[in-house]
Amino acid sequence: MSENLFIPEAATKAEKYEAVIPQIEALISGEPDLYANLANISAALKEAFGFFWVGFYLVKETQLVLGPFQGPIACTRISIGKGVCGTAWQEAKTQVVPDVDAFPGHIACSSASKSEIVVPVFKDKQVVMILDVDSDQLDDFDQTDQKYLEKLMDSLGNTL
Ligand code: SME
């Protein structure tokens, strides 16, 4: 297992995902510790794409609780149906939010965050955690991010 991430320069976003996702999958496939894997996924996505905030919230009883992340400190607990993260959990569906200020109930952990994608992770068809990625640019996420981040979260779900 390599501990260096190869990130192609002058590549499209899809090309970067194509290069980086197999490396992340290789990194997590041989490691049984969940928190180690969540920490490395957060770091790898932040390093490869320069996102403002990348991290996980884990389902614990009636709330999402902050897990490993990269970026500024964030709110610790989110209830089901609240904000973008709580909505992704409740609907068991990826949320792509081009302008967080236009999302009813968005939880502003940082005023620098402008757009956001939240992808659920499933175990036995239940949402057990969510990946949250925030950008300081408006409209920074599209179907390319959704496709590749859902693929990565499927791989993560298969390790649970
Ligand atoms: N904005 C999220 C809260 C989490 S932070 O962005 C890290 C939300 O509305 O659920």
Side-chain angles (χ1 to χ4, degrees), residues 48-65:
F49 297 96
F51 296 129
F52 177 71
W53 196 94
V54 184
F56 289 88
Y57 282 90
L58 290 91
V59 173
K60 297 200 175 166
E61 296 169 4
T62 60
Q63 291 184 309
L64 291 169
V65 182

PDB file of all heavy atoms in Angstrom, residues 48-65:
ATOM      1  N   ALA A  48      -6.679  16.073  -3.157  1.00  0.00           N
ATOM      2  CA  ALA A  48      -6.822  15.953  -4.620  1.00  0.00           C
ATOM      3  C   ALA A  48      -7.611  17.113  -5.214  1.00  0.00           C
ATOM      4  O   ALA A  48      -7.296  17.577  -6.319  1.00  0.00           O
ATOM      5  CB  ALA A  48      -7.499  14.626  -4.972  1.00  0.00           C
ATOM      6  N   PHE A  49      -8.640  17.579  -4.520  1.00  0.00           N
ATOM      7  CA  PHE A  49      -9.563  18.547  -5.129  1.00  0.00           C
ATOM      8  C   PHE A  49      -9.549  19.912  -4.442  1.00  0.00           C
ATOM      9  O   PHE A  49     -10.178  20.850  -4.939  1.00  0.00           O
ATOM     10  CB  PHE A  49     -10.986  17.971  -5.142  1.00  0.00           C
ATOM     11  CG  PHE A  49     -11.101  16.733  -5.992  1.00  0.00           C
ATOM     12  CD1 PHE A  49     -11.017  15.474  -5.423  1.00  0.00           C
ATOM     13  CD2 PHE A  49     -11.241  16.825  -7.371  1.00  0.00           C
ATOM     14  CE1 PHE A  49     -11.086  14.330  -6.209  1.00  0.00           C
ATOM     15  CE2 PHE A  49     -11.319  15.695  -8.165  1.00  0.00           C
ATOM     16  CZ  PHE A  49     -11.234  14.440  -7.577  1.00  0.00           C
ATOM     17  N   GLY A  50      -8.876  20.013  -3.306  1.00  0.00           N
ATOM     18  CA  GLY A  50      -8.795  21.306  -2.629  1.00  0.00           C
ATOM     19  C   GLY A  50     -10.119  21.796  -2.085  1.00  0.00           C
ATOM     20  O   GLY A  50     -10.328  23.008  -1.944  1.00  0.00           O
ATOM     21  N   PHE A  51     -11.015  20.862  -1.761  1.00  0.00           N
ATOM     22  CA  PHE A  51     -12.315  21.287  -1.224  1.00  0.00           C
ATOM     23  C   PHE A  51     -12.123  22.030   0.095  1.00  0.00           C
ATOM     24  O   PHE A  51     -11.163  21.807   0.827  1.00  0.00           O
ATOM     25  CB  PHE A  51     -13.220  20.072  -1.005  1.00  0.00           C
ATOM     26  CG  PHE A  51     -13.594  19.337  -2.270  1.00  0.00           C
ATOM     27  CD1 PHE A  51     -13.423  17.963  -2.370  1.00  0.00           C
ATOM     28  CD2 PHE A  51     -14.130  20.012  -3.359  1.00  0.00           C
ATOM     29  CE1 PHE A  51     -13.779  17.282  -3.521  1.00  0.00           C
ATOM     30  CE2 PHE A  51     -14.490  19.342  -4.512  1.00  0.00           C
ATOM     31  CZ  PHE A  51     -14.313  17.967  -4.597  1.00  0.00           C
ATOM     32  N   PHE A  52     -13.093  22.868   0.435  1.00  0.00           N
ATOM     33  CA  PHE A  52     -13.022  23.660   1.666  1.00  0.00           C
ATOM     34  C   PHE A  52     -13.144  22.788   2.916  1.00  0.00           C
ATOM     35  O   PHE A  52     -12.445  22.972   3.909  1.00  0.00           O
ATOM     36  CB  PHE A  52     -14.130  24.723   1.637  1.00  0.00           C
ATOM     37  CG  PHE A  52     -14.210  25.549   2.885  1.00  0.00           C
ATOM     38  CD1 PHE A  52     -13.232  26.487   3.178  1.00  0.00           C
ATOM     39  CD2 PHE A  52     -15.264  25.391   3.770  1.00  0.00           C
ATOM     40  CE1 PHE A  52     -13.302  27.244   4.343  1.00  0.00           C
ATOM     41  CE2 PHE A  52     -15.347  26.142   4.928  1.00  0.00           C
ATOM     42  CZ  PHE A  52     -14.357  27.071   5.207  1.00  0.00           C
ATOM     43  N   TRP A  53     -14.052  21.829   2.859  1.00  0.00           N
ATOM     44  CA  TRP A  53     -14.307  20.953   4.016  1.00  0.00           C
ATOM     45  C   TRP A  53     -14.741  19.588   3.484  1.00  0.00           C
ATOM     46  O   TRP A  53     -15.598  19.508   2.599  1.00  0.00           O
ATOM     47  CB  TRP A  53     -15.415  21.546   4.889  1.00  0.00           C
ATOM     48  CG  TRP A  53     -15.531  20.966   6.276  1.00  0.00           C
ATOM     49  CD1 TRP A  53     -14.944  21.452   7.409  1.00  0.00           C
ATOM     50  CD2 TRP A  53     -16.273  19.798   6.681  1.00  0.00           C
ATOM     51  NE1 TRP A  53     -15.271  20.662   8.490  1.00  0.00           N
ATOM     52  CE2 TRP A  53     -16.088  19.645   8.076  1.00  0.00           C
ATOM     53  CE3 TRP A  53     -17.065  18.875   6.011  1.00  0.00           C
ATOM     54  CZ2 TRP A  53     -16.672  18.613   8.810  1.00  0.00           C
ATOM     55  CZ3 TRP A  53     -17.642  17.840   6.744  1.00  0.00           C
ATOM     56  CH2 TRP A  53     -17.453  17.717   8.129  1.00  0.00           C
ATOM     57  N   VAL A  54     -14.159  18.539   4.009  1.00  0.00           N
ATOM     58  CA  VAL A  54     -14.529  17.170   3.630  1.00  0.00           C
ATOM     59  C   VAL A  54     -14.598  16.340   4.902  1.00  0.00           C
ATOM     60  O   VAL A  54     -13.632  16.329   5.685  1.00  0.00           O
ATOM     61  CB  VAL A  54     -13.462  16.498   2.726  1.00  0.00           C
ATOM     62  CG1 VAL A  54     -13.950  15.114   2.287  1.00  0.00           C
ATOM     63  CG2 VAL A  54     -13.108  17.343   1.521  1.00  0.00           C
ATOM     64  N   GLY A  55     -15.710  15.662   5.130  1.00  0.00           N
ATOM     65  CA  GLY A  55     -15.744  14.826   6.325  1.00  0.00           C
ATOM     66  C   GLY A  55     -16.988  13.978   6.413  1.00  0.00           C
ATOM     67  O   GLY A  55     -17.845  13.990   5.520  1.00  0.00           O
ATOM     68  N   PHE A  56     -17.073  13.261   7.514  1.00  0.00           N
ATOM     69  CA  PHE A  56     -18.149  12.289   7.730  1.00  0.00           C
ATOM     70  C   PHE A  56     -18.956  12.641   8.967  1.00  0.00           C
ATOM     71  O   PHE A  56     -18.416  13.166   9.955  1.00  0.00           O
ATOM     72  CB  PHE A  56     -17.559  10.887   7.910  1.00  0.00           C
ATOM     73  CG  PHE A  56     -16.992  10.334   6.634  1.00  0.00           C
ATOM     74  CD1 PHE A  56     -15.670  10.585   6.284  1.00  0.00           C
ATOM     75  CD2 PHE A  56     -17.778   9.591   5.764  1.00  0.00           C
ATOM     76  CE1 PHE A  56     -15.139  10.095   5.094  1.00  0.00           C
ATOM     77  CE2 PHE A  56     -17.258   9.096   4.576  1.00  0.00           C
ATOM     78  CZ  PHE A  56     -15.940   9.353   4.241  1.00  0.00           C
ATOM     79  N   TYR A  57     -20.251  12.364   8.887  1.00  0.00           N
ATOM     80  CA  TYR A  57     -21.121  12.334  10.064  1.00  0.00           C
ATOM     81  C   TYR A  57     -21.682  10.922  10.171  1.00  0.00           C
ATOM     82  O   TYR A  57     -22.158  10.371   9.167  1.00  0.00           O
ATOM     83  CB  TYR A  57     -22.275  13.340   9.922  1.00  0.00           C
ATOM     84  CG  TYR A  57     -21.871  14.780  10.185  1.00  0.00           C
ATOM     85  CD1 TYR A  57     -21.418  15.594   9.156  1.00  0.00           C
ATOM     86  CD2 TYR A  57     -21.966  15.331  11.459  1.00  0.00           C
ATOM     87  CE1 TYR A  57     -21.048  16.921   9.390  1.00  0.00           C
ATOM     88  CE2 TYR A  57     -21.614  16.649  11.707  1.00  0.00           C
ATOM     89  CZ  TYR A  57     -21.156  17.436  10.672  1.00  0.00           C
ATOM     90  OH  TYR A  57     -20.802  18.745  10.911  1.00  0.00           O
ATOM     91  N   LEU A  58     -21.620  10.361  11.379  1.00  0.00           N
ATOM     92  CA  LEU A  58     -22.087   8.986  11.581  1.00  0.00           C
ATOM     93  C   LEU A  58     -23.426   8.966  12.294  1.00  0.00           C
ATOM     94  O   LEU A  58     -23.648   9.748  13.235  1.00  0.00           O
ATOM     95  CB  LEU A  58     -21.044   8.202  12.398  1.00  0.00           C
ATOM     96  CG  LEU A  58     -19.760   7.912  11.616  1.00  0.00           C
ATOM     97  CD1 LEU A  58     -18.742   9.020  11.833  1.00  0.00           C
ATOM     98  CD2 LEU A  58     -19.154   6.585  12.012  1.00  0.00           C
ATOM     99  N   VAL A  59     -24.318   8.069  11.839  1.00  0.00           N
ATOM    100  CA  VAL A  59     -25.620   7.918  12.480  1.00  0.00           C
ATOM    101  C   VAL A  59     -25.423   7.289  13.852  1.00  0.00           C
ATOM    102  O   VAL A  59     -24.849   6.198  13.970  1.00  0.00           O
ATOM    103  CB  VAL A  59     -26.555   7.021  11.615  1.00  0.00           C
ATOM    104  CG1 VAL A  59     -27.847   6.713  12.371  1.00  0.00           C
ATOM    105  CG2 VAL A  59     -26.847   7.676  10.265  1.00  0.00           C
ATOM    106  N   LYS A  60     -25.872   8.022  14.885  1.00  0.00           N
ATOM    107  CA  LYS A  60     -25.837   7.491  16.249  1.00  0.00           C
ATOM    108  C   LYS A  60     -27.191   7.766  16.875  1.00  0.00           C
ATOM    109  O   LYS A  60     -27.509   8.913  17.183  1.00  0.00           O
ATOM    110  CB  LYS A  60     -24.706   8.124  17.069  1.00  0.00           C
ATOM    111  CG  LYS A  60     -23.335   7.790  16.453  1.00  0.00           C
ATOM    112  CD  LYS A  60     -22.154   7.934  17.380  1.00  0.00           C
ATOM    113  CE  LYS A  60     -20.901   7.443  16.670  1.00  0.00           C
ATOM    114  NZ  LYS A  60     -19.654   7.819  17.305  1.00  0.00           N
ATOM    115  N   GLU A  61     -28.017   6.717  16.983  1.00  0.00           N
ATOM    116  CA  GLU A  61     -29.395   6.809  17.460  1.00  0.00           C
ATOM    117  C   GLU A  61     -30.169   7.820  16.625  1.00  0.00           C
ATOM    118  O   GLU A  61     -30.354   7.605  15.442  1.00  0.00           O
ATOM    119  CB  GLU A  61     -29.425   7.100  18.962  1.00  0.00           C
ATOM    120  CG  GLU A  61     -28.801   5.944  19.726  1.00  0.00           C
ATOM    121  CD  GLU A  61     -28.544   6.221  21.180  1.00  0.00           C
ATOM    122  OE1 GLU A  61     -28.910   7.300  21.682  1.00  0.00           O
ATOM    123  OE2 GLU A  61     -27.965   5.341  21.822  1.00  0.00           O
ATOM    124  N   THR A  62     -30.575   8.977  17.242  1.00  0.00           N
ATOM    125  CA  THR A  62     -31.442   9.887  16.483  1.00  0.00           C
ATOM    126  C   THR A  62     -30.683  11.037  15.844  1.00  0.00           C
ATOM    127  O   THR A  62     -31.299  11.976  15.348  1.00  0.00           O
ATOM    128  CB  THR A  62     -32.519  10.480  17.413  1.00  0.00           C
ATOM    129  OG1 THR A  62     -31.838  11.199  18.448  1.00  0.00           O
ATOM    130  CG2 THR A  62     -33.393   9.400  18.006  1.00  0.00           C
ATOM    131  N   GLN A  63     -29.367  10.989  15.889  1.00  0.00           N
ATOM    132  CA  GLN A  63     -28.597  12.121  15.352  1.00  0.00           C
ATOM    133  C   GLN A  63     -27.434  11.663  14.485  1.00  0.00           C
ATOM    134  O   GLN A  63     -26.984  10.514  14.572  1.00  0.00           O
ATOM    135  CB  GLN A  63     -28.038  12.947  16.517  1.00  0.00           C
ATOM    136  CG  GLN A  63     -29.120  13.688  17.274  1.00  0.00           C
ATOM    137  CD  GLN A  63     -28.546  14.572  18.350  1.00  0.00           C
ATOM    138  OE1 GLN A  63     -27.744  14.128  19.165  1.00  0.00           O
ATOM    139  NE2 GLN A  63     -28.947  15.816  18.364  1.00  0.00           N
ATOM    140  N   LEU A  64     -26.944  12.601  13.662  1.00  0.00           N
ATOM    141  CA  LEU A  64     -25.652  12.437  13.003  1.00  0.00           C
ATOM    142  C   LEU A  64     -24.616  13.076  13.908  1.00  0.00           C
ATOM    143  O   LEU A  64     -24.811  14.196  14.385  1.00  0.00           O
ATOM    144  CB  LEU A  64     -25.639  13.178  11.658  1.00  0.00           C
ATOM    145  CG  LEU A  64     -26.527  12.625  10.541  1.00  0.00           C
ATOM    146  CD1 LEU A  64     -26.604  13.628   9.397  1.00  0.00           C
ATOM    147  CD2 LEU A  64     -25.989  11.298  10.036  1.00  0.00           C
ATOM    148  N   VAL A  65     -23.511  12.366  14.127  1.00  0.00           N
ATOM    149  CA  VAL A  65     -22.443  12.885  14.989  1.00  0.00           C
ATOM    150  C   VAL A  65     -21.170  12.999  14.159  1.00  0.00           C
ATOM    151  O   VAL A  65     -20.830  12.088  13.384  1.00  0.00           O
ATOM    152  CB  VAL A  65     -22.228  11.981  16.220  1.00  0.00           C
ATOM    153  CG1 VAL A  65     -21.143  12.562  17.120  1.00  0.00           C
ATOM    154  CG2 VAL A  65     -23.529  11.832  16.996  1.00  0.00           C
TER     155      VAL A  65
END
